[in-house]
Amino acid sequence: MPKKKGAKGTKLTLKIAKKAIRMTPDGRHRLTLSNMGITIFPKCLFKLTNLDELDLSRNSIQKLPDNIGNCSSLRFLDLHSNKLEALPKSIGNLAGLTHLNLSNNRLISAGLPSSLGCLTSLKILNLGMNQLDTLPPSMEALDSLQEIGLFDNLFIHLPEFVRGLRNLTKLNMKRTPLSYVQGDGEEMQKENSEPEEHVYLVHESSLCRTCFKRCKDQEEGLMRGGGGDAYEEKRIRTYKGLLVPNSVATVHQDVWRIRKVEHMQIK
């Protein structure tokens, strides 16, 4: 592996990168360059045309190259714990990307391009631990999205597009100053001192008739100020068009930051 060179970062050559590529159990080519002291995205990586997974996490990269979209073979990209403030428009050209981890950077909402909405194959997206308060409306096109992490950001409202993501099953907005809009338009402000909790979002069409009726009954009980024993201590949050049969998820934040990704077997 390349040696660290202090403030100047790591010198990574194409030869070194090729030797570091490993084959995953499901036959994918993976390159792990995590915690290598890298400060600039290595240009030599553009010559690795068969690379499926790239891990550049825990470095000091401040900017991605404008032609990052040329890495079109990527399916998995991990850039968590760097110093990114913005993303280039060409990131939308990574059409085959299914997993994208950008947590623990310095991203601001103005630095997110609308081209993120072109990542229609994306299943897992982690934007936690940044400085975001809004997301591009174009992200409503991410129909394949199943999990999204928005924890430790500056959101005060649930992004509108989230309500329309039919395949979304996990949403992590822990530790955000989020306001929840109820069905009658009433806004419930969470105390800043109270940590936000994980929430499972399930679209109505995904529930069987029995579960749908149970959730509706519980929701109506809440709106009347009741709620029964199940809601005696905690008040369930509701979203327009979405139901939450399991209101509190037990997944810890670290699972989002350091996640063992399970890939489908390639036939």
Side-chain angles (χ1 to χ4, degrees):
M1 298 298 290
K3 297 181 180 180
K4 297 181 180 180
K5 295 187 177 182
K8 294 184 179 180
T10 297
K11 176 65 175 178
L12 182 70
T13 65
L14 180 60
K15 182 178 180 180
I16 292 175
K18 286 183 175 180
K19 287 185 177 180
I21 295 177
R22 298 291 181 267
M23 189 75 74
T24 65
D26 56 358
R28 297 192 178 193
H29 296 87
R30 180 181 179 86
L31 176 58
T32 300
L33 299 172
S34 178
N35 198 26
M36 298 301 301
I38 299 173
T39 58
I40 299 176
F41 189 93
K43 294 182 179 179
C44 64
L45 300 184
F46 290 111
K47 298 181 180 180
L48 302 176
T49 57
N50 64 338
L51 193 62
D52 301 301
E53 304 182 1
L54 177 60
D55 183 355
L56 281 167
S57 63
R58 294 185 294 167
N59 283 293
S60 299
I61 300 174
Q62 299 181 22
K63 182 181 179 181
L64 295 180
D66 292 335
N67 59 338
I68 185 67
N70 291 346
C71 299
S72 56
S73 64
L74 287 180
R75 300 294 179 266
F76 178 102
L77 179 58
D78 191 348
L79 291 163
H80 83 76
S81 303
N82 276 280
K83 299 180 179 180
L84 299 174
E85 297 181 359
L87 303 176
K89 293 181 180 180
S90 68
I91 196 169
N93 294 335
L94 302 179
L97 209 62
T98 60
H99 296 71
L100 178 59
N101 190 347
L102 293 165
S103 65
N104 195 24
N105 275 280
R106 301 173 180 177
L107 294 172
I108 59 175
S109 295
L112 299 183
S114 59
S115 59
L116 282 176
C118 297
L119 302 178
T120 53
S121 298
L122 206 59
K123 295 181 178 179
I124 297 179
L125 173 62
N126 194 343
L127 292 170
M129 301 182 71
N130 281 288
Q131 302 172 36
L132 305 173
D133 55 8
T134 61
L135 294 176
S138 61
M139 291 178 66
E140 66 180 359
L142 304 183
D143 292 330
S144 299
L145 202 61
Q146 299 173 2
E147 303 179 19
I148 183 170
L150 301 175
F151 55 90
D152 291 290
N153 275 288
L154 306 175
F155 295 99
I156 59 174
H157 296 290
L158 182 72
E160 286 295 325
F161 77 89
V162 172
R163 296 178 172 86
L165 298 176
R166 298 179 62 86
N167 292 310
L168 190 68
T169 57
K170 291 184 181 179
L171 168 66
N172 185 344
M173 299 199 75
K174 194 172 183 179
R175 289 181 297 279
T176 61
L178 179 63
S179 297
Y180 294 98
V181 180
Q182 304 302 298
D184 59 358
E186 180 184 357
E187 188 172 272
M188 181 177 67
Q189 180 70 42
K190 298 294 290 183
E191 295 294 334
N192 292 332
S193 59
E194 180 182 348
E196 191 48 74
E197 297 172 320
H198 300 265
V199 178
Y200 282 118
L201 296 183
V202 181
H203 198 273
E204 295 176 358
S205 61
S206 300
L207 296 177
C208 65
R209 183 177 301 178
T210 302
C211 292
F212 178 81
K213 185 178 184 304
R214 183 183 300 125
C215 291
K216 277 295 185 181
D217 291 343
Q218 292 173 344
E219 181 182 10
E220 291 174 1
L222 275 176
M223 302 309 295
R224 291 194 300 266
D229 295 337
Y231 300 92
E232 184 176 352
E233 295 182 359
K234 294 185 179 180
R235 187 176 181 183
I236 192 169
R237 295 174 293 279
T238 59
Y239 304 91
K240 184 178 180 181
L242 295 170
L243 296 175
V244 274
N246 299 312
S247 61
V248 181
T250 58
V251 186
H252 192 269
Q253 171 191 336
D254 290 342
V255 178
W256 284 86
R257 293 193 59 198
I258 305 175
R259 184 182 184 85
K260 182 179 180 181
V261 180
E262 297 179 358
H263 299 284
M264 297 180 63
Q265 186 72 25
I266 298 179
K267 296 182 180 180

